[in-house]
Amino acid sequence: MTTTIAPTLADKVARAPKAELHIHIEGSLEPELIFRLAERNGVTLPYASIDALRAAYAFTDLQSFLDIYYAGASVLLTEQDFYDMTMAYAERALADHVAHTEIFFDPQTHTERGVSIDVVVAGIERALADAEKQGLSSKLILCFLRHLSEEDALATFDAALPLFERYRHRLIGVGLDSSERGHPPSKFERVFAKARALGLKLVAHAGEEGPPSYIYEALDLLKVDRVDHGVRSIEDPALVARLADSRVALTVCPLSNLKLCVFDDLTKHTLKELLDRGVAVTVNSDDPAYFGGYVNTNYFAIIEALKLTDTEVYTTVRNSFEASFVTPDERAALIARLDAHWHGDGAQ
Ligand code: HPA
Ligand code: ZN
């Protein structure tokens, strides 16, 4: 790919310590690993080969992606499968100089197939503990599938209660993902209230394909700490002003938005306009195995498309730490590392 990003800026952002705040671990399953796990577990896939699977990655909207994403996740059966998937992501994240990551997982995708939530979390946790020894700090966020019922979400929350206790160093919040249209945040007000009562962090996908009213619902009814995607906020100036004033961050995923046709061209992406208006936007990969790249590739693509300046890129990287769920001391240390890299002698 030819690029017009200044080599110094490309190198600076590539090596900058950064946080990734919007990554579905099931969306990090590369086709090669899907086939390896299918073989290991005797699962038959509706695709004849790795190439045939990859050829199916031509999405027209969110649902066309989700259908394939859930098919891919069907190969995950054992604790070791969840370990292998998570370790593969951790290695890619470390290569992109991700210092801290907050990972989503979808327990209902697995419990529906008879895989217990304990197996899912144990495998992910074991990998994250190993990755931590290599310098990757991480948290885990349990997401409810919004196309399923409120009752199902409440049952999932109850089943996860012992895990919130046992893994409280890691499992720090709940989120909301899957098919957005027709499944407003209001459907999950009660389960989010329960999570809030436990002191958990709260996030929700809103305003990816859904209207700005879904973002208001996420803020006012679910009382989220961050909004995932949120790019359709641009249609409502009062909402943009509110996001800017409150510093409720948006976890934006440029290549996801392109591949799912939220924008037909990255030059039309609204990240820069949101940044100009003071919104705390961050850059993330969403489902990197499906959308064409990990977090650094997302930075390169959006910098190039929108001609972001050095200062704008610094702000988005800094926002990733500002918006993360680390402690104030950890945040200060991460920002000091970023500043030493960005403004210092480049020794990072
Ligand atoms: N949107 C909603 N649900 C998802 C996504 C997304 O981008 N990725 C994985 N689940
Ligand atoms: Zn997402």
Side-chain angles (χ1 to χ4, degrees):
M1 185 174 83
T2 57
T3 175
T4 57
I5 312 177
T8 45
L9 181 55
D11 185 58
K12 209 168 168 185
V13 73
R15 293 189 304 109
K18 54 186 69 77
E20 175 150 57
L21 305 179
H22 186 158
I23 157 77
H24 302 261
I25 198 64
E26 295 90 348
S28 74
L29 259 185
E30 293 285 347
E32 290 76 10
L33 186 54
I34 290 176
F35 271 82
R36 189 142 42 89
L37 296 182
E39 198 173 327
R40 183 157 98 188
N41 292 329
V43 173
T44 307
L45 288 165
Y47 302 93
S49 66
I50 292 173
D51 285 346
L53 175 59
R54 223 186 266 285
Y57 294 1
F59 312 117
T60 50
D61 60 6
L62 175 58
Q63 193 59 51
S64 66
F65 154 69
L66 290 170
D67 293 341
I68 292 182
Y69 163 84
Y70 294 127
S74 71
V75 301
L76 296 160
L77 293 182
T78 69
E79 197 246 33
Q80 189 63 39
D81 299 339
F82 288 91
Y83 178 93
D84 291 345
M85 168 176 67
T86 306
M87 198 38 116
Y89 163 70
E91 283 165 7
R92 302 296 289 257
L94 282 163
D96 278 5
H97 293 253
V98 173
H100 176 74
T101 181
E102 296 183 356
I103 298 175
F104 301 144
F105 73 110
D106 291 335
Q108 288 153 297
T109 300
H110 313 299
T111 52
E112 251 185 355
R113 299 178 293 111
V115 178
S116 97
I117 192 168
D118 302 70
V119 165
V120 176
V121 178
I124 297 173
E125 166 58 22
R126 186 158 63 83
L128 293 180
D130 283 352
E132 196 131 39
K133 294 175 205 147
Q134 297 176 45
L136 181 64
S137 141
S138 60
K139 300 292 180 200
L140 202 50
I141 295 174
L142 180 159
C143 286
F144 302 111
L145 297 181
R146 68 201 307 158
H147 67 276
L148 300 179
S149 67
E150 181 201 25
E151 193 185 7
D152 211 316
L154 286 164
T156 300
F157 183 75
D158 285 345
L161 280 174
L163 301 179
F164 286 119
E165 180 61 30
R166 176 160 174 211
Y167 298 105
R168 62 183 171 280
H169 60 288
R170 190 83 63 197
L171 183 55
I172 48 103
V174 299
L176 186 62
D177 64 7
S178 191
S179 322
E180 187 179 11
R181 288 198 190 105
H183 300 286
S186 52
K187 184 173 157 187
F188 298 95
E189 193 174 347
R190 279 186 287 205
V191 75
F192 270 67
K194 284 187 157 206
R196 193 163 65 248
L198 272 193
L200 293 169
K201 300 291 185 191
L202 309 174
V203 299
H205 284 53
E208 177 186 16
E209 285 188 343
S213 64
Y214 283 22
I215 303 175
Y216 280 109
E217 285 191 14
L219 296 170
D220 294 329
L221 303 182
L222 305 189
K223 302 189 193 307
V224 294
D225 298 293
R226 288 194 305 248
V227 173
D228 296 313
H229 293 296
V231 288
R232 285 195 61 192
S233 59
I234 204 82
E235 296 166 26
D236 183 330
L239 177 56
V240 172
R242 177 176 171 182
L243 290 168
D245 290 346
S246 63
R247 299 298 287 168
V248 171
L250 302 185
T251 62
V252 174
C253 307
L255 290 174
S256 166
N257 293 156
L258 180 67
K259 293 286 157 61
L260 301 187
C261 308
V262 173
F263 300 98
D264 58 22
D265 192 303
L266 263 195
T267 61
K268 298 192 186 143
H269 200 287
T270 49
L271 177 141
K272 184 171 155 57
E273 197 178 336
L274 289 164
L275 200 58
D276 287 347
R277 295 213 237 157
V279 178
V281 295
T282 63
V283 171
N284 309 275
S285 69
D286 205 2
D287 300 283
Y290 292 91
F291 298 150
Y294 288 75
V295 68
N296 278 358
T297 309
N298 275 268
Y299 273 102
F300 299 150
I302 200 69
I303 292 168
E304 164 130 31
L306 302 182
K307 310 284 175 237
L308 299 181
T309 65
D310 183 286
T311 306
E312 288 165 339
V313 180
Y314 169 77
T315 301
T316 62
V317 180
R318 185 181 167 115
N319 286 345
S320 74
F321 293 130
E322 299 280 5
S324 71
F325 295 139
V326 296
T327 65
D329 283 354
E330 288 165 341
R331 188 185 332 282
L334 288 163
I335 292 174
R337 272 176 65 191
L338 169 64
D339 285 348
H341 169 75
W342 207 273
H343 306 298
D345 60 9
Q348 169 71 40

